[in-house]
């Protein structure tokens, strides 16, 4: 990472964390991924059952492997033997103790913007798990709320869609086409402007480019 970008992230990260805290999130800024992994593990009690939504950032930090190494109980939908068991696991995750996820975008004034196809990830963010730990690289911070919404729709969603064999404009040409077809992964668009109850959602900002 360019030194100038790193300096920018370190300066802006503290301000964004402050903005999130003013909206009743419990926010932390970590300068690099090693510090972030340590903070995430610190936030998760060892007796918690942990699950997660699709989160490239969580994968990049090695959080899942670290949890397994310390013997954490997890609900991992990718271990399901068939579609029916996978669906059951998605539902069980909504009542786990700690739910891990990324965020498609964050406004500089501390609002989260997330887009979901199935809806399980944003459902857990809104209600269910005892706590939610959101992990986001500083590349997810995108100015005001309109900027965060544009980032989620025009950057994060088209990048995410490339992982799947979908028939959508963004898979075909890399650009959001505001599609409404059955393959669209943009069924739910959720803005979280306040954390209720206070402190339930923890946000770990990382001073690196992570995720989509």
């Amino acid at each position: 990472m360019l030194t100038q970008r790193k300096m920018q992230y370190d300066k802006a990260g503290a301000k964004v964390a402050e903005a999130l805290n003013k909206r009743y999130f419990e926010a932390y800024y970590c300068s690099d991924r090693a510090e972030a992994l340590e903070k995430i593990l610190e936030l998760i009690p060892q007796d918690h059952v942990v699950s997660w939504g699709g989160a490239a950032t969580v994968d990049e930090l090695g959080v899942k492997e670290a949890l397994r190494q310390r013997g954490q109980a997890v609900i991992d939908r990718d271990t399901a033997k068939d579609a029916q068991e996978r669906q059951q696991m998605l539902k069980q995750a909504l009542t786990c103790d700690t739910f891990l996820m990324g965020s498609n975008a964050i406004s500089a004034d501390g609002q989260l913007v997330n887009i979901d196809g199935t809806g399980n990830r944003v459902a857990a963010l809104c209600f269910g798990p005892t706590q939610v730990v959101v992990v986001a690289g500083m590349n997810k911070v995108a100015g005001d709320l309109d900027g965060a919404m544009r980032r989620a729709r025009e950057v994060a969603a088209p990048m995410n869609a490339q992982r799947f064999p979908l028939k959508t404009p963004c898979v075909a040409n890399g650009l959001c086409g505001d599609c409404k077809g059955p393959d669209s992964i943009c069924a739910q668009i959720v803005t979280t402007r306040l954390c209720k109850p206070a402190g339930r959602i923890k946000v770990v900002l990382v001073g690196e480019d992570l995720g989509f």
Side-chain angles (χ1 to χ4, degrees):
M1 180 183 293
L2 294 175
T3 301
Q4 291 86 348
R5 180 179 297 176
K6 181 60 178 168
M7 291 172 63
Q8 177 198 11
Y9 283 174
D10 284 346
K11 291 175 180 177
K15 297 297 292 183
V16 178
E18 181 182 354
L20 285 159
N21 285 324
K22 288 180 178 178
R23 292 178 180 271
Y24 313 112
F25 298 93
E26 185 179 313
Y28 304 88
Y29 177 72
C30 297
S31 186
D32 58 37
R33 63 184 64 199
E35 183 182 343
L37 177 58
E38 183 178 353
K39 173 55 69 175
I40 293 163
L41 295 176
E42 177 188 314
L43 291 172
I44 302 173
Q46 293 218 357
D47 62 348
H48 271 205
V49 175
V50 181
S51 194
W52 45 78
T57 300
V58 172
D59 291 337
E60 288 180 53
L61 293 180
V63 179
K64 298 175 187 177
E65 182 59 29
L67 290 172
R68 291 190 177 97
Q69 287 180 0
R70 76 177 193 181
Q72 198 87 35
V74 301
I75 300 169
D76 183 357
R77 63 190 182 183
D78 291 331
T79 63
K81 64 180 182 294
D82 54 35
Q84 182 177 1
E85 185 179 26
R86 181 182 176 87
Q87 188 67 17
Q88 290 174 344
M89 286 182 165
L90 289 174
K91 292 179 179 179
Q92 289 170 359
L94 297 177
T95 56
C96 71
D97 300 303
T98 295
F99 189 86
L100 294 165
M101 60 178 285
S103 187
N104 297 134
I106 302 175
S107 67
D109 69 350
Q111 301 184 69
L112 310 183
V113 177
N114 283 283
I115 293 178
D116 213 349
T118 304
N120 63 297
R121 190 171 62 98
V122 294
L125 176 64
C126 295
F127 185 81
T130 305
Q131 70 170 3
V132 178
V133 178
V134 176
V135 190
M138 283 297 292
N139 54 307
K140 303 293 185 69
V141 178
D144 62 11
L145 182 58
D146 287 341
M149 186 67 71
R150 285 194 300 273
R151 188 198 187 280
R153 299 198 67 184
E154 298 173 10
V155 178
M159 288 179 67
N160 188 31
Q162 302 305 315
R163 300 186 299 147
F164 307 108
L166 305 173
K167 295 180 179 178
T168 62
C170 64
V171 169
N173 60 32
L175 300 173
C176 177
D178 193 27
C179 67
K180 300 173 181 64
D183 276 356
S184 175
I185 65 168
C186 300
Q188 313 287 337
I189 303 176
V190 173
T191 300
T192 308
R193 61 183 297 273
L194 298 173
C195 175
K196 293 183 71 174
R200 173 180 172 266
I201 301 172
K202 280 74 172 173
V203 182
V204 178
L205 297 168
V206 189
E208 298 188 24
D209 290 345
L210 296 168
F212 301 132

